[in-house]
Amino acid sequence: MEHPETKAPPLVYLETYGCQMNIADSELITGILRRAGYGSAARPEDADVILLNTCAIREHAEERALGRLSDLARLKHRRPNLRLGLLGCVAQHNRARLVEKAPGLDLVAGPDSYRRLPEFLGQAGFDPIVDVRLDRGETYAGLGADHGVGPRAYVTVMRGCDRFCAFCVVPYVRGRERSVPPDAVVRECRELAASGVREVILLGQTVNAYRFAEVDFGRLLRMIAAIDGIERIRFTSPHPSDMSAGVIEAMAAEAKVQPHVHLPVQSGSDRMLVAMERGYTVAQYLELVQRLRRAIPGLALSTDIIVGFYGEDEDDFEATVALMREVGFDSAFTFKYSVREHTRAYRLGDSVSEAEKAQRLSAVIALQESISLARNQAEISKVRDVLVEGPARRGGGMLSGKTPQFKTAVFPGTPGLGAGDTAAVRIVSASSHSLTAIPA
Ligand code: SAM
Ligand code: SF4
């Protein structure tokens, strides 16, 4: 495509919704399109191509993306040459139906179709292109992503999911589990280190199920820990059932692996965990928490919780509340259950009213706020290493970064200290969302 007036490279405006995997995919897409001769536009009004990379995990997320799409489609009235594409999980979830739902759409491409984006965008034509084939072999290994600026970068190490939890659309929209070859992961981490990145966050829907030939997730952690320049390693999200002794040993043995685990539990009721097909019991989850805490001193834990899944009664909900109190998570993402087409629980529908779900959600949010505050207050007077990300939003010469426990710490800057440096700080006060510190 050529820009008609300036002959400058065609410009792409890309908007991203959803989880870290989608952010990482957008970096991949930007890399693919840049190498194909596209530039980036900061505003949709300036673009020749508008792409939305979407999330289908809950109905609300999907509706948001479709609403935005119809807003953006209006730009086409003034600029008929503008091309509009919907990418990612909503594209995969709705497939060809989208073309009827969203007039003005030129391209619908699922998460395994990004390699062919330049080809699709280059095809002039009147009929929309729909490519939503899932490809069990596609890992995009070796296709460089355009990582954002800053000392931290996402590295996708596996794609898809084989777990089929009853509520979840991910295996249907992202396809079956596959791991990126370890040499490609290591090469990407080395290049990131050379470009100034100090911390990598390894991504996968069940990241600790990573396996490529003989290399499992524990081995992969050790390989990345051996890279000079990478100072911190994190990963998200591990599945409780894939947290093998080998993974815990690697986390404990490698100082670069940071003491924070995001370990989604979803519910504190065994009855719900069975219905959700999560593959573990509350007792097994608690035992895993104990093993992790024993192996990794100063460990922070966060989680995902769903309230109002089909069949959840007051007792089930109280069991979730009790589990949250017992574990004392440092933070939690909490969601109202949203029925998703294609999933195993879809045909069951909803049994908990919207009002009840909203009430349960407010209760777990309020509880988590108080637990997070207590966990953060327990940090007061401790000295923690902070990887500096840059000036804090509150200004006044303050810097901001993350502690090893992935808590945001804000502290007064000192001359010469900037993004990518590590500073030892002493925590002096805490809220439920952040820590305030002074140089140690
Ligand atoms: N793979 C990760 C795991 O198993 O923990 C998480 C994947 S998902 C992108 C992130 C979170 O969204 C899940 O942990 C779950 O709490 C939530 N989620 C998934 N499906 C949902 C649904 N249908 N309704 C509400 N929340 C949902
Ligand atoms: Fe969804 Fe379960 Fe897979 Fe996580 S493990 S992505 S919740 S199916």
Side-chain angles (χ1 to χ4, degrees), residues 57 161-165 167-171 205-206 239 266 278:
I57 199 83
C161 180
D162 279 355
R163 284 229 165 245
F164 293 90
C165 301
F167 52 80
C168 183
V169 83
V170 166
Q205 294 294 349
T206 51
H239 191 283
Q266 314 298 359
R278 283 293 287 177

Short mmCIF file of all heavy atoms in Angstrom, two decimals, residues 57 161-165 167-171 205-206 239 266 278, ligand 2:
data_model
loop_
_atom_site.label_atom_id
_atom_site.label_comp_id
_atom_site.label_asym_id
_atom_site.label_seq_id
_atom_site.Cartn_x
_atom_site.Cartn_y
_atom_site.Cartn_z
N ILE A 57 -11.93 -12.93 26.50
CA ILE A 57 -11.99 -13.73 27.72
C ILE A 57 -13.33 -13.55 28.44
O ILE A 57 -13.87 -14.51 28.99
CB ILE A 57 -10.77 -13.44 28.64
CG1 ILE A 57 -10.56 -14.55 29.64
CG2 ILE A 57 -10.85 -12.10 29.32
CD1 ILE A 57 -9.81 -15.71 29.12
N CYS A 161 -3.25 -23.37 24.80
CA CYS A 161 -3.48 -24.02 26.09
C CYS A 161 -4.22 -25.34 25.86
O CYS A 161 -5.12 -25.40 25.04
CB CYS A 161 -4.32 -23.11 27.00
SG CYS A 161 -4.62 -23.86 28.61
N ASP A 162 -3.81 -26.37 26.60
CA ASP A 162 -4.44 -27.69 26.47
C ASP A 162 -5.33 -28.02 27.66
O ASP A 162 -5.78 -29.14 27.81
CB ASP A 162 -3.35 -28.78 26.39
CG ASP A 162 -2.79 -28.90 24.99
OD1 ASP A 162 -3.30 -28.20 24.10
OD2 ASP A 162 -1.84 -29.68 24.80
N ARG A 163 -5.56 -27.07 28.56
CA ARG A 163 -6.22 -27.43 29.83
C ARG A 163 -7.75 -27.45 29.75
O ARG A 163 -8.39 -28.15 30.49
CB ARG A 163 -5.76 -26.50 30.94
CG ARG A 163 -4.37 -26.84 31.41
CD ARG A 163 -4.30 -26.94 32.92
NE ARG A 163 -3.07 -27.59 33.29
CZ ARG A 163 -3.00 -28.76 33.90
NH1 ARG A 163 -4.10 -29.39 34.24
NH2 ARG A 163 -1.85 -29.28 34.18
N PHE A 164 -8.32 -26.63 28.92
CA PHE A 164 -9.78 -26.61 28.74
C PHE A 164 -10.54 -26.48 30.05
O PHE A 164 -11.46 -27.27 30.33
CB PHE A 164 -10.25 -27.87 27.98
CG PHE A 164 -9.77 -27.90 26.55
CD1 PHE A 164 -8.57 -28.49 26.21
CD2 PHE A 164 -10.54 -27.31 25.55
CE1 PHE A 164 -8.12 -28.50 24.89
CE2 PHE A 164 -10.10 -27.31 24.23
CZ PHE A 164 -8.89 -27.92 23.90
N CYS A 165 -10.19 -25.51 30.89
CA CYS A 165 -11.00 -25.20 32.07
C CYS A 165 -12.41 -24.89 31.56
O CYS A 165 -12.57 -24.27 30.50
CB CYS A 165 -10.43 -24.01 32.82
SG CYS A 165 -8.74 -24.29 33.37
N PHE A 167 -14.73 -22.85 32.06
CA PHE A 167 -15.22 -21.48 31.82
C PHE A 167 -14.47 -20.75 30.71
O PHE A 167 -14.85 -19.65 30.33
CB PHE A 167 -15.07 -20.65 33.12
CG PHE A 167 -13.68 -20.71 33.71
CD1 PHE A 167 -12.66 -19.92 33.21
CD2 PHE A 167 -13.40 -21.57 34.77
CE1 PHE A 167 -11.38 -19.99 33.74
CE2 PHE A 167 -12.12 -21.65 35.30
CZ PHE A 167 -11.10 -20.86 34.78
N CYS A 168 -13.39 -21.34 30.18
CA CYS A 168 -12.38 -20.51 29.50
C CYS A 168 -12.34 -20.74 27.99
O CYS A 168 -12.33 -21.87 27.50
CB CYS A 168 -11.02 -20.81 30.11
SG CYS A 168 -9.71 -19.78 29.40
N VAL A 169 -12.25 -19.64 27.28
CA VAL A 169 -12.31 -19.66 25.82
C VAL A 169 -10.90 -19.78 25.20
O VAL A 169 -10.77 -20.03 24.00
CB VAL A 169 -13.05 -18.36 25.37
CG1 VAL A 169 -12.13 -17.16 25.32
CG2 VAL A 169 -13.77 -18.56 24.07
N VAL A 170 -9.87 -19.64 26.04
CA VAL A 170 -8.50 -19.57 25.50
C VAL A 170 -8.13 -20.75 24.59
O VAL A 170 -7.62 -20.54 23.48
CB VAL A 170 -7.46 -19.37 26.63
CG1 VAL A 170 -6.03 -19.62 26.14
CG2 VAL A 170 -7.56 -17.97 27.21
N PRO A 171 -8.38 -22.01 25.00
CA PRO A 171 -7.96 -23.11 24.10
C PRO A 171 -8.66 -23.05 22.74
O PRO A 171 -8.12 -23.56 21.76
CB PRO A 171 -8.38 -24.36 24.87
CG PRO A 171 -8.44 -23.93 26.30
CD PRO A 171 -8.93 -22.52 26.26
N GLN A 205 0.13 -19.27 28.58
CA GLN A 205 -1.12 -19.43 29.33
C GLN A 205 -0.94 -20.42 30.47
O GLN A 205 -1.59 -20.31 31.51
CB GLN A 205 -2.25 -19.90 28.40
CG GLN A 205 -2.64 -18.88 27.36
CD GLN A 205 -3.28 -17.64 27.96
OE1 GLN A 205 -3.62 -17.60 29.14
NE2 GLN A 205 -3.43 -16.62 27.14
N THR A 206 -0.10 -21.42 30.26
CA THR A 206 0.29 -22.33 31.36
C THR A 206 1.82 -22.44 31.23
O THR A 206 2.36 -23.45 30.83
CB THR A 206 -0.35 -23.72 31.21
OG1 THR A 206 -0.09 -24.20 29.88
CG2 THR A 206 -1.84 -23.69 31.44
N HIS A 239 0.38 -22.72 35.94
CA HIS A 239 -0.81 -23.45 36.41
C HIS A 239 -0.40 -24.25 37.64
O HIS A 239 0.66 -24.89 37.63
CB HIS A 239 -1.33 -24.37 35.31
CG HIS A 239 -2.68 -24.94 35.64
ND1 HIS A 239 -2.84 -25.97 36.54
CD2 HIS A 239 -3.91 -24.60 35.22
CE1 HIS A 239 -4.14 -26.24 36.65
NE2 HIS A 239 -4.81 -25.43 35.85
N GLN A 266 -8.73 -19.37 41.19
CA GLN A 266 -10.10 -19.27 40.64
C GLN A 266 -11.20 -19.41 41.69
O GLN A 266 -12.16 -18.65 41.69
CB GLN A 266 -10.37 -20.27 39.50
CG GLN A 266 -9.28 -20.35 38.44
CD GLN A 266 -9.03 -19.06 37.65
OE1 GLN A 266 -9.67 -18.06 37.87
NE2 GLN A 266 -8.03 -19.08 36.77
N ARG A 278 -10.47 -27.58 37.00
CA ARG A 278 -9.16 -26.98 37.21
C ARG A 278 -8.07 -28.01 37.47
O ARG A 278 -6.89 -27.73 37.32
CB ARG A 278 -9.21 -25.97 38.37
CG ARG A 278 -9.85 -24.67 38.01
CD ARG A 278 -9.03 -23.87 37.01
NE ARG A 278 -7.82 -23.29 37.61
CZ ARG A 278 -6.92 -22.59 36.90
NH1 ARG A 278 -7.07 -22.41 35.60
NH2 ARG A 278 -5.86 -22.10 37.50
FE1 SF4 B 2 -7.94 -20.86 30.30
FE2 SF4 B 2 -7.56 -22.82 32.06
FE3 SF4 B 2 -5.97 -22.61 29.90
FE4 SF4 B 2 -5.80 -20.81 31.87
S1 SF4 B 2 -5.35 -23.01 32.03
S2 SF4 B 2 -5.87 -20.40 29.67
S3 SF4 B 2 -7.90 -20.63 32.55
S4 SF4 B 2 -8.14 -23.07 29.90
#
